[in-house]
């Protein structure tokens, strides 16, 4: 008798398993949509940091701000804004477009429309956004030359795409 009840329990448990799996699959899009919404709401709107070309010790101070952060779908977001690079008191302003993949927080950052004549925009920064959204570490690659550089950013309470005017 005891074996029969165990068999009955096992049978009911085996029916419960597919039911739970089916129910959880229906909830996944809602959970992911909430996560992408959370990402777009919580992503800091300003980052500051440094960029260095590999093999060069010249530090470029970087500021990036995002005016718009949008969920593109359940897995991807886009952030649009501006940025500036400062080297030896020379500032280059740029447009910035960043794509974020929710599943692993991979980012790709494109830079557009520099106001300086000698600024490399053929390529992109690829890297990671930290779990707490407070840091971005990425590597720039220029496809034509294979030249690399390292970008390290941290969230800031606020920032402007260019340095403040001197008083």
């Amino acid at each position: 008798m005891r074996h029969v009840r165990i068999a009955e329990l096992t049978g009911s448990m085996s029916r419960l398993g597919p039911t739970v799996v089916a129910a959880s699959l229906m909830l996944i899009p809602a959970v992911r949509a909430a996560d992408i919404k959370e990402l777009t709401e919580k992503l800091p709107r300003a980052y500051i940091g440094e960029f260095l070309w590999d093999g060069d010790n010249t530090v470029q101070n970087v500021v990036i701000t995002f005016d718009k952060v949008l969920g593109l779908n359940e897995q991807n977001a886009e952030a649009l804004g501006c940025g500036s690079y400062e080297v030896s008191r020379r500032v280059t302003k740029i447009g910035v477009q960043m794509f974020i993949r929710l599943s692993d927080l991979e980012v790709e950052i494109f830079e557009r429309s520099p106001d300086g004549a000698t600024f490399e925009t053929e390529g992109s920064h690829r890297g990671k956004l930290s779990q707490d959204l407070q840091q971005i570490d990425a590597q720039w690659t220029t496809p034509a030359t294979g030249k690399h550089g390292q970008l390290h950013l941290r969230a800031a309470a606020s920032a402007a795409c260019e340095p403040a005017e001197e008083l």
Side-chain angles (χ1 to χ4, degrees), residues 85-125:
Y85 282 71
E86 184 270 328
V87 181
S88 303
R89 302 188 70 130
R90 183 167 180 253
V91 176
T92 302
K93 294 184 276 183
I94 56 169
V96 176
Q97 179 181 33
M98 179 170 74
F99 294 98
I100 307 160
R101 187 170 56 210
L102 179 62
S103 62
D104 55 7
L105 296 177
E106 288 284 328
V107 298
E108 185 167 13
I109 304 170
F110 295 93
E111 298 173 344
R112 312 261 191 251
S113 308
D115 68 355
T118 59
F119 193 84
E120 179 64 57
T121 59
E122 293 300 319
S124 66
H125 297 280

Side-chain angles (χ1 to χ4, degrees), residues 3 25 35 37 41 53 58 61 64 68 72 75 106 113 132 134-135 140 146 149 152 159 161:
H3 295 296
L25 288 175
D35 288 343
K37 184 176 190 282
E41 290 172 354
W53 286 107
T58 304
N61 296 306
I64 293 178
K68 202 183 254 189
L72 299 175
Q75 270 300 307
E106 288 284 328
S113 308
D132 64 2
Q134 298 299 299
Q135 294 183 6
W140 174 271
H152 303 288
C161 291

Side-chain angles (χ1 to χ4, degrees), residues 29-47:
V31 170
R32 287 200 176 146
D35 288 343
I36 201 76
K37 184 176 190 282
E38 184 178 346
L39 173 69
T40 61
E41 290 172 354
K42 291 187 175 184
L43 184 75
R45 297 309 194 252
Y47 289 89

